Amino acid sequence: MLEMMSSKEVGSLKRKRDTAASLSTLRDSSNPPLQKSYTHKDPTLKISDLERQILKSRQYYNNISTLLEYMRLSEVDQSQNHEAVLALCRIFSRLMANGNMTAPQQLDVSQSMIVEWLKRKCEEYCDKLLHSLANGTHEEKRTSLTVLMQLFRDEHSEPKSNEELTWKKGIFPSIVKVVANLITSDRIQKTFIEAYVEQCSDIEFYTFKALAFASTKKSTIKLDGIMSMLIAVNGVDGSEERIEPLYINPPKRKRNMYSRAARRRAAQDAWMVVLRRSLTNVQRKDLLKAMPHRIAPIFLKPEMLMDFLTDSFEVGGSVSLLALSGLFHLMQEKNLDYPQFYLKLYSLLDFHVLHSRHRSRFFRLLEIFLASTHLPAILVASFIKRLARLCLGAPPSAIVVVVPWIYNLFKIHPTCTFMIHRDRNQADGKSGNPVAEFHNAFRMYGNDPMLTGAIESSLWEIETLQSHYHPNVAAISRIVSEQFTKQEHNIEDFLDHTYASMLDTELGQTMKKIPVIEHEIPKRIFGDNSEETLQSQSSVAHLWRFEA
């Protein structure tokens, strides 16, 4: 009968026969694997035989379940698991490339069932890889990431695959979710960003899209992981248009969707979702630290950051200090209207500001904020007086910054120099009674810098600092009492000083004159050192004795 059929009919009959044979042998993963007798003792050769049979004919598709069983033996034999992972990757890549995992156009129930079975097995394989990416060793994570990205690329090679749907609903969003959930110290997150995100424009674009969706409250991804990934991606903040390869080659009409402007817009949308979330103080500080160099340059419309920066500025403390830079930038460049800026800035001058770890950054910004000659002298005097008062309880490393800063303000605002030459009688409003009780006009705890009365006071605090126990502080405080003939000081020369560095500087100096010391070592710190007195002391006093 076969002789009477055409060659086309014979081929169709053979395909149906193969489909029926393969369909009859397909089993689900819940059933036990088929046991076959292998002559090879090496499991690697067994895996190679299974792979070769699958690629040879459909009737061996059932071997896919056997290979998935080998992946479960990762705790027993790591090499066996590795070989099974790579073999399944080659199998599914070949099946996708040949169109064997695409449902037929014509109504063929048996073929559709095979395709659905293969898709379920592929999903099971990907789930195992994602679990390994999240919980495996570093080498297992690297292998899983590489295999998953290869499978994702092969998804696009399938005939009639929907590109947009594959990016949004395929393996890729799951990869981003797992990588974002990894701890910041995990090197896989860095590997994913450097090897894929920063190298391919399309991956970068859809990474931002995936992170934007993951930032919503419905997502189970940790917000810290999303923030670390967004901060780490440094591909769209450059000034020039970078021509990068695409991981997936789209039609020519869609290439413009991965332009630098489109990627910046996607990054901006992802950041806006994060900024609208309820943030802890630690998270807010991390964002504000990255704001000038990582976040703000990405935004096509930096004014969209106004709400976040103003809210952060209202928090107070170190959070307000970190928000100063971005807020002032928007005021200068984008004409942000914030009339209470200097009032809020003045409220930050408290005891903690001179002990803060962000002290250097604060004084850099404060020098910029008060550099304008159009500011009222009353306002500038309040800042000078308040910081001078805070210096009385500040560490030496902070005082050596404040005094040159005050000197520079006197050079910029000479009207404020009256505060130096006003004696206590002039400050009190009494000119004839030198012994009258001194009454300072400055209100230290006033909230409004325009109403503190600082311009009518005097800088007696700086004169007090000239008798400071630390010689460097005493020496630098004397510059205010001298003639103002020197140029402005460079604040950067004083910002990096610490108590330890100042002590090392003193210890490293060569003594010009040897100090005078006593010729006898005292046996006690307080009181008479005679033998009679020492013998009559109580037992507690003997604790203070020093043996020669």
Side-chain angles (χ1 to χ4, degrees):
M1 182 176 179
L2 290 175
E3 296 178 356
M4 300 175 61
M5 292 183 180
S6 62
S7 59
K8 183 176 181 180
E9 293 174 336
V10 172
S12 176
L13 182 61
K14 288 183 178 181
R15 282 194 299 272
K16 290 182 179 180
R17 188 182 304 156
D18 291 342
T19 300
S22 59
L23 185 60
S24 64
T25 59
L26 291 181
R27 57 182 170 80
D28 204 33
S29 59
S30 59
N31 299 328
L34 296 179
Q35 301 295 330
K36 294 188 178 182
S37 58
Y38 291 97
T39 57
H40 304 298
K41 294 183 179 180
D42 188 358
T44 303
L45 298 179
K46 294 181 183 179
I47 293 173
S48 300
D49 286 345
L50 293 172
E51 178 186 358
R52 191 161 41 250
Q53 290 174 358
I54 293 170
L55 297 178
K56 180 179 179 181
S57 175
R58 294 182 178 183
Q59 63 180 345
Y60 296 107
Y61 279 176
N62 209 35
N63 291 344
I64 295 177
S65 298
T66 306
L67 291 174
L68 289 173
E69 292 294 333
Y70 278 114
M71 288 186 62
R72 295 194 180 99
L73 303 177
S74 58
E75 298 181 357
V76 179
D77 190 347
Q78 295 287 343
S79 61
Q80 182 174 325
N81 172 68
H82 182 74
E83 292 297 329
V85 167
L86 297 182
L88 285 169
C89 177
R90 291 189 292 266
I91 290 169
F92 284 116
S93 296
R94 181 74 64 85
L95 294 176
M96 290 178 185
N98 294 337
N100 295 334
M101 295 183 64
T102 304
Q105 291 183 348
Q106 298 178 355
L107 185 60
D108 190 341
V109 179
S110 58
Q111 180 67 19
S112 299
M113 291 180 64
I114 293 177
V115 171
E116 290 300 322
W117 186 87
L118 289 174
K119 287 184 177 180
R120 286 200 307 270
K121 292 302 174 182
C122 186
E123 290 176 1
E124 183 181 349
Y125 174 55
C126 292
D127 290 340
K128 292 179 181 295
L129 291 174
L130 290 171
H131 183 269
S132 177
L133 179 61
N135 305 294
T137 63
H138 178 69
E139 292 301 324
E140 290 176 346
K141 289 180 179 180
R142 288 194 62 178
T143 302
S144 299
L145 177 62
T146 304
V147 172
L148 283 168
M149 292 302 294
Q150 180 61 42
L151 287 175
F152 169 66
R153 172 179 278 177
D154 294 333
E155 271 189 312
H156 284 270
S157 67
E158 288 188 75
K160 303 176 184 178
S161 62
N162 189 324
E163 179 190 353
E164 189 75 15
L165 190 63
T166 306
W167 278 104
K168 293 183 177 181
K169 302 293 183 180
I171 310 173
F172 185 74
S174 300
I175 298 174
V176 176
K177 178 180 178 180
V178 173
V179 173
N181 265 331
L182 295 174
I183 59 176
T184 309
S185 58
D186 199 307
R187 291 175 291 174
I188 292 300
Q189 191 178 100
K190 182 179 179 182
T191 301
F192 175 71
I193 292 173
E194 293 180 350
Y196 297 101
V197 178
E198 293 184 348
Q199 300 300 323
C200 303
S201 300
D202 49 355
I203 291 183
E204 186 177 49
F205 177 82
Y206 281 104
T207 297
F208 289 133
K209 290 287 186 181
L211 291 176
F213 176 77
S215 303
T216 59
K217 295 182 180 180
K218 298 179 181 180
S219 175
T220 58
I221 304 180
K222 298 178 182 178
L223 189 58
D224 291 333
I226 297 172
M227 288 169 47
S228 66
M229 280 197 68
L230 286 174
I231 293 174
V233 176
N234 190 25
V236 295
D237 58 347
S239 58
E240 71 280 354
E241 177 75 31
R242 295 185 302 142
I243 301 176
E244 297 171 342
L246 299 178
Y247 197 70
I248 307 296
N249 292 322
K252 292 183 179 180
R253 59 185 176 84
K254 291 188 176 182
R255 285 185 174 270
N256 292 332
M257 69 181 297
Y258 305 129
S259 63
R260 178 172 173 268
R263 286 178 284 140
R264 288 183 63 185
R265 190 176 296 106
Q268 176 180 279
D269 295 341
W271 273 119
M272 288 306 300
V273 177
V274 173
L275 297 180
R276 293 191 184 105
R277 291 284 300 272
S278 178
L279 303 171
T280 63
N281 277 349
V282 175
Q283 292 171 341
R284 193 177 290 270
K285 287 180 182 179
D286 291 339
L287 292 177
L288 291 172
K289 290 176 184 178
M291 185 67 66
H293 308 293
R294 291 286 187 175
I295 302 177
I298 291 177
F299 273 62
L300 294 171
K301 296 181 179 179
E303 55 270 19
M304 296 177 68
L305 296 169
M306 289 181 181
D307 291 339
F308 174 75
L309 291 172
T310 52
D311 291 343
S312 300
F313 195 54
E314 295 292 336
V315 172
S318 58
V319 177
S320 297
L321 296 182
L322 294 172
L324 283 175
S325 179
L327 191 59
F328 191 76
H329 172 76
L330 294 181
M331 291 174 60
Q332 250 187 345
E333 303 296 332
K334 302 298 179 180
N335 297 321
L336 170 65
D337 185 18
Y338 195 80
Q340 303 298 322
F341 177 76
Y342 284 98
L343 182 64
K344 185 65 178 178
L345 179 63
Y346 185 72
S347 67
L348 298 179
L349 301 181
D350 55 11
F351 175 78
H352 301 285
V353 72
L354 296 182
H355 295 79
S356 172
R357 69 175 66 180
H358 308 295
R359 182 181 63 209
S360 299
R361 183 174 185 173
F362 174 71
F363 274 100
R364 288 189 183 97
L365 297 173
L366 196 60
E367 187 178 28
I368 299 174
F369 300 155
L370 299 177
S372 175
T373 56
H374 299 288
L375 293 175
I378 298 176
L379 177 73
V380 177
S382 296
F383 280 87
I384 293 175
K385 180 66 177 178
R386 191 161 191 169
L387 277 173
R389 183 69 61 85
L390 293 174
C391 281
L392 297 179
S397 56
I399 300 175
V400 297
V401 178
V402 175
V403 175
W405 177 82
I406 291 176
Y407 183 91
N408 292 346
L409 282 185
F410 282 144
K411 297 284 289 184
I412 300 173
H413 305 276
T415 310
C416 297
T417 54
F418 289 103
M419 300 171 65
I420 303 176
H421 305 291
R422 183 177 289 113
D423 58 30
R424 70 176 187 176
N425 291 327
Q426 292 175 334
D428 188 33
K430 301 176 181 179
S431 57
N433 188 4
V435 296
E437 182 182 357
F438 175 65
H439 173 71
N440 199 339
F442 176 63
R443 291 180 288 277
M444 174 65 181
Y445 299 103
N447 296 324
D448 192 344
M450 301 296 291
L451 303 176
T452 59
I455 195 69
E456 301 172 0
S457 179
S458 64
L459 284 180
W460 58 267
E461 297 88 352
I462 301 299
E463 185 176 357
T464 303
L465 292 176
Q466 294 176 2
S467 303
H468 198 273
Y469 74 90
H470 199 288
N472 288 351
V473 174
I476 201 169
S477 298
R478 297 188 186 99
I479 64 174
V480 180
S481 301
E482 300 172 356
Q483 293 185 354
F484 279 56
T485 57
K486 298 180 181 179
Q487 297 295 326
E488 296 181 8
H489 293 274
N490 186 7
I491 297 297
E492 293 292 335
D493 297 337
F494 305 93
L495 290 177
D496 295 330
H497 281 302
T498 61
Y499 197 90
S501 65
M502 296 175 69
L503 182 62
D504 292 339
T505 302
E506 287 295 319
L507 294 176
Q509 290 182 355
T510 303
M511 291 187 297
K512 298 181 181 179
K513 183 179 179 182
I514 300 177
V516 179
I517 59 175
E518 294 191 26
H519 65 282
E520 291 184 1
I521 300 177
K523 299 183 180 299
R524 54 181 296 182
I525 298 176
F526 306 106
D528 191 5
N529 285 304
S530 63
E531 291 295 333
E532 295 79 5
T533 305
L534 293 175
Q535 292 177 0
S536 62
Q537 296 297 324
S538 63
S539 59
V540 177
H542 286 283
L543 298 176
W544 290 91
R545 294 186 59 182
F546 294 87
E547 297 297 336

